[in-house]
Every structure is written in C-alpha cells, then in structure tokens.
Amino acid sequence: MSGPADTLAARWADVRARVDAACRAAGRDPAEVTILPVSKTFGAETVREAAALGLVRFGENKAQELRDKSAALADLPLEWVLIGHLQTNKAKDAARLASEVQSLDRLELADALHRRLLAEGRVLDVLVQVKTSPEESKHGLPPGELHGFLDRLGELPALRVRGLMTLAVQSDDPGAVRACFRQLRELRDAAAARGHELPRLSMGMSGDFPLAIAEGATEVRIGTAIFGSR
Ligand SMILES: *Cc1c(COP(=O)(O)O)cnc(C)c1O
C-alpha cells in the first residue's frame, strides 16, 4: 500500500470496510463478525498507536512476545489473545496474562493451563484449534478427535470453551481454502448437535477472510492488512 492514506488509521478503516462488504456479500450482518488485530512482530509503540484508535484486543502468536508487550503496555486496559502454538512449559504466562487462548490443540496443554489457572484464581476463554489443512507445519487437533476432546474439556471448569479456530491451507485455489473453513463450521454444527455449544468460529486472515466470512466466521484474525507486512 502507498499514498497519503497509508496510515494505521486508514488501514484499520479499510479492513473494517472490507470485512463489512464481505458480510453483505454473504448475506450476513457485519455486527456478527469481529476483527482481531494481530500485532505479532510489531513493537509495543505500534500497539499503543492502535490502542489510541480504540482497539482493545490484540492477537499474539508467541507467549514471550505477549509477555513483553503486556508489560510494556501495562498502563493500558488491553486484552491479549494467544493465537500461536503454545508450549506446555509456557502455560503459566498464558494463564496469567492472556484474556483468551485460541490455540488449544491438545489435552496436555489443557491440563497445564487448567492447573495454572486454578493457581491464579482465573478462568480463561479458549477456542479449540482444529487442523483442517494437510500441511505438516500447521498445528491443531485432528478433526476426528474433537468430540472426545470437548468431553474432556468439560472436566476442566477454569477453561471456558467458546468455539473453534483454524488456519486454512495456503493455496491459490479458493475452493481448497474455503473447504477448510467449511469443515470448521460443520464440526461446530456437529458439536452443537451433541450438546457442545460453540458459538465462535475464528477463521480467516488478511489473504482469505472473505471466504471465511462466507462460511460463517464470527472472528477474523488480521495482521498484515492492518499493521503492514512483516
Ligand atoms: C499471523 C497470524 C494471523 C494473521 O495473518 P495475516 O496474514 O498477517 O493477516 C492470523 N492467525 C494466526 C494464527 C497467525 O499466526
């Protein structure tokens, strides 16, 4: 992007307008879709600038970076959302500092988070990250394990399971990308039929959010289109 309008405020307004347009194109109410700004790799001062625009929640993919930024910005009432792979030995940071973890993908991590949350006297909103693409590099629970996993999470009351999260396959084929998002929605619907209400679907990023919105995303995680390339 270039030109006089290339400011954080202008990019944020542009992203909101494009999300709203994607909602209308899909016959959906724009009020149903939240944008999670993803501030990973950008410094605390950039987040401060975004906070001055009224942004409150920020997505980070590393526990260490979340810790550093939340300390640098402790004077602001921000909410930190962990969206990246979380090592079990970093569960303490997440339990202390995150308002939400969207990358819950295994029982070992759920147990570790729960133990730490009990120690902190906190509860945490979580989304279960499901692997909907074949790429080895992507994390996530295998779809076939979701029902059993949700049953187990029911035994961990400090984790409030609010929905599902996924990353679509990286592909030039919109059909392949969209199939990942559709699978997440269908998993959500199947879970609901079994009594697990999961209202939130976090899916879609800068390059593919219109497809995610068409498949029912309630939240899109946007980094590059707001903050610039990394
Ligand atoms: C980086 C990241 C995003 C945002 O990606 P952009 O393409 O920059 O919008 C979304 N979700 C996750 C899990 C990420 O790690």
Side-chain angles (χ1 to χ4, degrees):
M1 274 180 279
S2 62
D6 191 19
T7 62
L8 185 60
R11 289 192 299 266
W12 167 246
D14 179 62
V15 166
R16 185 67 247 185
R18 286 161 59 204
V19 167
D20 291 358
C23 289
R24 285 190 294 273
R28 299 184 58 199
D29 178 354
E32 290 173 11
V33 180
T34 303
I35 300 169
L36 176 65
V38 175
S39 50
K40 68 184 186 194
T41 78
F42 289 91
E45 287 317 307
T46 301
V47 177
R48 189 176 291 280
E49 196 186 333
L53 299 174
L55 281 61
V56 173
R57 295 170 74 228
F58 292 93
E60 289 287 339
N61 70 334
K62 294 199 171 90
Q64 179 69 49
E65 200 176 329
L66 187 157
R67 199 167 83 185
D68 293 345
K69 278 182 216 172
S70 68
L73 299 166
D75 57 311
L76 297 176
L78 303 181
E79 294 173 18
W80 298 99
V81 180
L82 197 69
I83 59 173
H85 182 67
L86 180 60
Q87 290 174 341
T88 305
N89 64 12
K90 300 275 170 59
K92 185 179 183 179
D93 289 330
R96 281 181 51 225
L97 302 172
S99 70
E100 181 178 321
V101 170
Q102 298 199 351
S103 45
L104 182 62
D105 61 356
R106 60 199 191 279
L107 200 56
E108 182 200 22
L109 177 60
D111 283 334
L113 275 173
H114 192 256
R115 251 192 334 271
R116 294 297 187 176
L117 287 163
L118 291 182
E120 297 285 335
R122 294 188 70 207
V123 295
L124 188 67
D125 283 352
V126 293
L127 305 186
V128 176
Q129 181 175 354
V130 180
K131 187 166 160 56
T132 56
S133 87
E135 291 147 311
E136 281 296 327
S137 59
K138 297 231 163 81
H139 293 283
L141 190 79
E145 295 179 18
L146 180 61
H147 292 311
F149 190 65
L150 291 171
D151 287 341
R152 297 294 300 272
L153 292 183
E155 299 160 13
L156 305 175
L159 297 177
R160 281 193 306 229
V161 188
R162 307 299 319 280
L164 304 177
M165 182 270 240
T166 202
L167 284 97
V169 67
Q170 204 148 15
S171 168
D172 293 334
D173 173 9
V177 173
R178 188 163 174 162
C180 296
F181 298 140
R182 181 178 312 123
Q183 183 179 15
L184 200 70
R185 173 171 52 78
E186 289 172 353
L187 285 167
R188 190 269 316 269
D189 294 344
R194 289 182 33 135
H196 292 293
E197 285 300 332
L198 303 171
R200 292 177 46 194
L201 288 180
S202 172
M203 54 189 196
M205 320 199 306
S206 294
D208 58 16
F209 69 82
L211 295 171
I213 288 171
E215 287 295 343
T218 65
E219 175 164 342
V220 292
R221 307 178 307 271
I222 309 292
T224 314
I226 297 173
F227 294 105
S229 54
R230 291 183 292 271

